[in-house]
Amino acid sequence: MEKIMHILKSKKGISILCCILFLIVFLMFLLIRNKFTQDIPEETTTEQETTTEPETTTEPETTTEPETTTEPETTTEPETTTVYINDTPGTGEGSRYGYMTCDTIGLSCSVFLGDSSSILRKGAGQSLATLMPGYGGLIMIGAHNNSYFNCLQYISIGNVITIETDYGTFHYQVISTEIRDVTGLSAYDFMTDHEQLLLYTCYPFDTLSHTDYRFLVHADLMSGPAVE
């Protein structure tokens, strides 16, 4: 006991005693603090309810296509047109007034008024003693047998010959062909009561000089405007 009292009276003893007292005080502080925190009621945290608005579903708009009404097709019969004389081209000799074709035999050439040698070098020439297309009479057109009308040797009944003019397009259907003597004037009906196309050329074909015979093609008007 004396030994313990001696230690406590020394400086080292005092330091130890102070540490012990400090620990005791610190432990008491911790006990009091824990007791105090246990007595405090825990705060209740109420989370705010989150109200989620229901999603609004927008239905797609329905597009109604307009009803299409298809009217029945009506077939209109072609009307007969009339061309007046003032609308037709000039009638001077050498004038080019049309273009003649026949796809079946490869016929394709210009048509001029007059049948002189200079005209027949450029295409087919119409006799000035006959009428132009659309006038309701005889149309007499000739060309060389070794050039523009060489293809007439292949023509057949039923073939269609077309003459295009500035005042309308005319179609003629072949009704017959024949070979005549050049002096046989009965083959040319200048007083015909209907419009008829008469094509003529020297025969035999491919000859290089004038012959005594003519190859003739007769064709009646199928369609085209009337000229008044």
Side-chain angles (χ1 to χ4, degrees):
M1 185 69 178
E2 291 179 358
K3 192 174 183 178
I4 294 172
M5 292 298 294
H6 178 74
I7 293 171
L8 292 173
K9 290 180 179 180
S10 64
K11 293 182 177 179
K12 185 176 180 180
I14 296 172
S15 297
I16 293 172
L17 183 60
C18 289
C19 289
I20 293 171
L21 292 174
F22 176 78
L23 289 173
I24 294 171
V25 173
F26 180 73
L27 291 174
M28 292 179 66
F29 172 77
L30 291 177
L31 290 173
I32 295 171
R33 181 176 179 276
N34 288 337
K35 179 67 176 174
F36 180 76
T37 54
Q38 288 178 358
D39 293 339
I40 298 175
E42 295 182 356
E43 293 182 359
T44 58
T45 305
T46 304
E47 295 183 356
Q48 294 181 351
E49 295 181 358
T50 56
T51 304
T52 305
E53 295 183 358
E55 295 182 357
T56 56
T57 304
T58 304
E59 296 182 358
E61 296 181 357
T62 57
T63 304
T64 304
E65 296 183 356
E67 296 181 358
T68 56
T69 303
T70 305
E71 296 182 356
E73 295 182 357
T74 57
T75 304
T76 304
E77 295 291 333
E79 297 181 357
T80 302
T81 59
T82 300
V83 176
Y84 295 95
I85 190 65
N86 291 337
D87 297 328
T88 60
T91 55
E93 184 175 2
S95 300
R96 177 187 179 278
Y97 75 84
Y99 198 82
M100 181 163 51
T101 58
C102 179
D103 294 337
T104 306
I105 62 172
L107 173 62
S108 179
C109 63
S110 296
V111 182
F112 299 86
L113 286 175
D115 52 6
S116 64
S117 297
S118 60
I119 289 175
L120 297 182
R121 284 195 292 268
K122 298 185 294 183
Q126 177 176 333
S127 171
L128 295 176
T130 60
L131 300 175
M132 293 173 62
Y135 285 79
L138 179 65
I139 308 161
M140 189 172 173
I141 300 176
H144 289 310
N145 65 349
N146 56 6
S147 59
Y148 298 104
F149 273 6
N150 182 265
C151 57
L152 290 186
Q153 60 186 303
Y154 307 112
I155 204 162
S156 301
I157 294 174
N159 290 165
V160 176
I161 301 168
T162 301
I163 299 179
E164 297 180 29
T165 72
D166 292 337
Y167 57 93
T169 300
F170 301 84
H171 301 283
Y172 303 87
Q173 188 170 40
V174 177
I175 59 171
S176 66
T177 61
E178 60 179 331
I179 299 169
R180 286 291 188 99
D181 187 281
V182 69
T183 59
L185 297 180
S186 62
Y188 315 124
D189 186 5
F190 292 97
M191 302 304 294
T192 177
D193 59 355
H194 64 282
E195 186 163 323
Q196 186 179 73
L197 174 65
L198 173 61
L199 304 183
Y200 67 95
T201 189
C202 294
Y203 185 86
F205 289 96
D206 298 315
T207 55
L208 300 177
S209 60
H210 292 287
T211 66
D212 294 333
Y213 297 95
R214 298 290 181 268
F215 182 81
L216 307 179
V217 177
H218 301 275
D220 284 343
L221 176 68
M222 294 175 59
S223 63
V227 179
E228 294 183 359

